[in-house]
Each structure stands twice: as C-alpha cells, then as structure tokens.
Amino acid sequence: MTARTAKAQTRTFTQNARRAQIVQAAIETLAESGYTKASFSRISQQAELCSTGMISYHFSGKPELFAEAARVILEMAEKVAGMRMGDERTYRGKLSAYITSNFDFITRYPMHTQALTEIVKMIRDRQITGLEDVERSIMSVDRLADLLEQGCEAGEFADFDCLTMALAIRGAIDAVLRRHLSQAAMDLDLCARELTVAFDRCTTPV
C-alpha cells in the first residue's frame, strides 16, 4: 500500500467529494485559461468555494493539485484504452485499439485533453517543480513497448526495436494532438484510421 493510498483511505466521504470538486475545477481552469492563469483564486472561483483556503486545506500546493489532476485524466485515458484493447484477441488488434483509443479520448474528453496538455507545457517550461513523477507517467511508453514486444514474440509483428517503435507511434499521436489543439480542428477519425494503417504496415512481418 502506497502512502497516497493509505492517506486516501483515512479521508471521509465529504473530504473526498471536496477534493474531487477542486480537482475538477482545476482541470476546467487549466483547459479554459491555461496554466499561466490557473491560480488558486481562479480555481476557487471555478469550484464556487468561499476562499482559496479550502484548496490549501486539501492540497499542499499547486504541485500536489496538478499532479492529482493529471492522475485523474491519465486514469480516464487508461480506462478508455483498456476497454478498446480488452476487446481484441490479437496483438495487431490491440495496437490498432491503442492508437484509436487515443483519438477516441480526445473526442470524448476535449477539456481533459487540453488540461493535460497545459500540465505538460507547465512542466516543460519549468514553471513548477515537484511534478517529475507526473512527467514520467505522461511521457511513458512502457506499456506500448511491452505490447509491441509481446507481439514480436508471438510472431505477429516484424523484428524491430520495440522502444523506438513505441516512441514513433506515441510521437505521431502527440503531433496530431498538438496540431488539433493549436490550429483548426482536424478530422480525428481520419487521423486515427491513417495512423492505424501506417503503423500496421510498419509492423507487419515481411
């Protein structure tokens, strides 16, 4: 049991509900105003709290609050991916499901996607410290690399370096996401299909 889990188990239902309310307000504020304007004051207003002190009561500071926001978003993304990939019986099918689940999440949860993007910007711009674990979680391709390795061992994929391929797949998805969020909206269904076909060809045994 981790320290965070143990601490969570000691909270009351009301405390957990208040924390969830604050985290949701932080996500909304990040998505709507960007990380440079995501102050406790704005988050407090978004959550309709009487003062910022209620945030400070539940979170030691921005690192803990934004780390919790990132954890919530990543868990949601994992759930979407898990549901799609769980329906597949082949590694090729699971890879396709992994790619399409990312675009499915962007379409279903645009606000959460934007908020997570703002957290990434915040970390990369070194505007806040204490989010090193969050950065590693967001940027991790370990699960995808493991999937590719298992597919290679099963003979469904060609012989390639799984980490390099995982980085290529993740990089392509993130590139579409950045363009979609910063410029005119893109046809995400089309992007999902095109990337699925492209990487299916890249990983097919010769």
Side-chain angles (χ1 to χ4, degrees):
M1 180 185 298
T2 65
R4 186 180 70 81
T5 301
K7 188 176 180 180
Q9 290 181 345
T10 64
R11 299 189 193 110
T12 67
F13 175 83
T14 302
Q15 288 174 328
N16 283 327
R18 180 66 74 187
R19 281 176 62 89
Q21 178 189 7
I22 294 170
V23 169
Q24 180 62 27
I27 291 171
E28 293 170 1
T29 303
L30 283 166
E32 294 172 6
S33 304
Y35 75 83
T36 59
K37 297 180 180 179
S39 64
F40 270 16
S41 178
R42 284 194 179 223
I43 295 171
S44 178
Q45 292 175 4
Q46 186 72 25
E48 299 182 348
L49 303 176
C50 58
S51 73
T52 58
M54 296 191 71
I55 299 178
S56 299
Y57 175 80
H58 290 280
F59 298 94
S60 60
K62 281 188 175 182
E64 184 183 1
L65 174 56
F66 292 148
E68 181 66 9
R71 185 191 66 78
V72 168
I73 297 169
L74 290 173
E75 281 193 355
M76 292 173 63
E78 284 288 324
K79 183 176 181 180
V80 172
M83 290 177 64
R84 277 186 171 270
M85 296 171 68
D87 292 335
E88 301 293 336
R89 294 293 175 264
T90 66
Y91 292 108
R92 303 191 70 77
K94 289 182 184 296
L95 176 58
S96 295
Y98 172 86
I99 295 172
T100 56
S101 70
N102 280 270
F103 294 98
D104 186 23
F105 183 82
I106 295 169
T107 301
R108 292 170 59 184
Y109 304 103
M111 179 180 66
H112 293 76
T113 301
Q114 182 66 60
L116 189 61
T117 301
E118 290 297 322
I119 293 174
V120 171
K121 290 180 184 177
M122 187 191 315
I123 295 171
R124 289 180 175 173
D125 292 347
R126 301 306 176 195
Q127 295 297 312
I128 192 169
T129 58
L131 294 179
E132 291 78 13
D133 289 344
V134 174
E135 182 178 19
R136 283 191 289 271
S137 296
I138 294 173
M139 305 307 295
S140 175
V141 294
D142 291 347
R143 178 181 179 184
L144 178 56
D146 287 343
L147 170 64
L148 293 172
E149 185 173 347
Q150 292 166 5
C152 288
E153 292 175 353
E156 293 187 31
F157 295 140
D159 184 20
F160 49 74
D161 182 77
C162 295
L163 177 58
T164 301
M165 184 64 74
L167 289 169
I169 296 170
R170 186 69 251 174
I173 294 170
D174 289 344
V176 173
L177 170 60
R178 286 193 298 271
R179 186 176 180 87
H180 176 70
L181 293 176
S182 63
Q183 300 181 22
M186 302 177 66
D187 185 338
L188 295 179
D189 287 337
L190 175 62
C191 292
R193 291 195 299 272
E194 290 293 332
L195 286 185
T196 297
V197 171
F199 283 107
D200 185 69
R201 291 173 178 170
C202 289
T203 56
T204 298
V206 177

